[in-house]
Amino acid sequence: MAVSGLPPYDEHNIFARILRGEIPNKTVYEDEWALAFHDIAPQAPVHVLVIPKRPYCSFADFSAHASDAEIAGFTRAVGHVARTLGLESAGYRLLANMGANAGQEVPHFHMHLFAGRPLGPMLNRPG
Ligand code: AMP
């Protein structure tokens, strides 16, 4: 599903391989629409990635091409993970990197969920 200005979806990216069961993951939650698993290099005591099951490179791609049911299912999966991990009272951060300026490493749309300590300012201040 090419989006203007973006390369087509790369079927060999690491999250596509996880979804095909080619490499293992530490699953936190799975349903028809989404898979949530622990990040391999956690940047907070809780660092979970939530990915849609179908192939989208970016939020632009996902929001333009996913069905209403997929968008609802993915959004509910993110909320379900936060609730079931007990993160609501202390708080948590959702973050999605898109493209080079955001430092996106894996070209399959994903939401990071960080928690477990005060997470500091949203962005590094310009130095
Ligand atoms: P991003 O920079 O937003 O594309 O984030 C990609 C994230 O995927 C990074 O936080 C990586 O640590 C994480 N990651 C890469 N490979 C794996 C893997 N095999 N299992 C779990 N997380 C991974």
Side-chain angles (χ1 to χ4, degrees):
M1 294 182 195
V3 167
S4 154
L6 289 178
Y9 183 81
D10 169 14
E11 297 287 347
H12 303 292
N13 80 74
I14 196 110
F15 294 169
R17 296 183 62 205
I18 285 175
L19 285 167
R20 288 196 296 268
E22 294 170 6
I23 55 174
N25 74 92
K26 291 188 178 169
T27 299
V28 173
Y29 175 72
E30 180 169 14
D31 65 18
E32 180 182 356
W33 307 112
L35 175 68
F37 52 96
H38 291 286
D39 196 290
I40 204 166
Q43 295 183 48
V46 176
H47 185 173
V48 171
L49 301 169
V50 189
I51 68 176
K53 285 210 164 160
R54 296 191 64 232
Y56 302 104
C57 316
S58 66
F59 186 72
D61 189 10
F62 179 68
S63 59
H65 298 118
S67 69
D68 291 355
E70 277 181 284
I71 293 171
F74 176 77
T75 304
R76 291 208 168 94
V78 174
H80 177 84
V81 169
R83 275 194 309 280
T84 54
L85 292 178
L87 307 179
E88 293 295 337
S89 57
Y92 59 95
R93 178 170 293 156
L94 297 177
L95 181 148
N97 293 315
M98 243 57 67
N101 275 358
Q104 182 180 4
E105 293 169 14
V106 181
H108 179 113
F109 171 56
H110 53 281
M111 193 74 81
H112 295 257
L113 192 159
F114 300 103
R117 63 167 168 77
L119 295 165
M122 188 166 62
L123 294 175
N124 288 335
R125 300 191 195 291

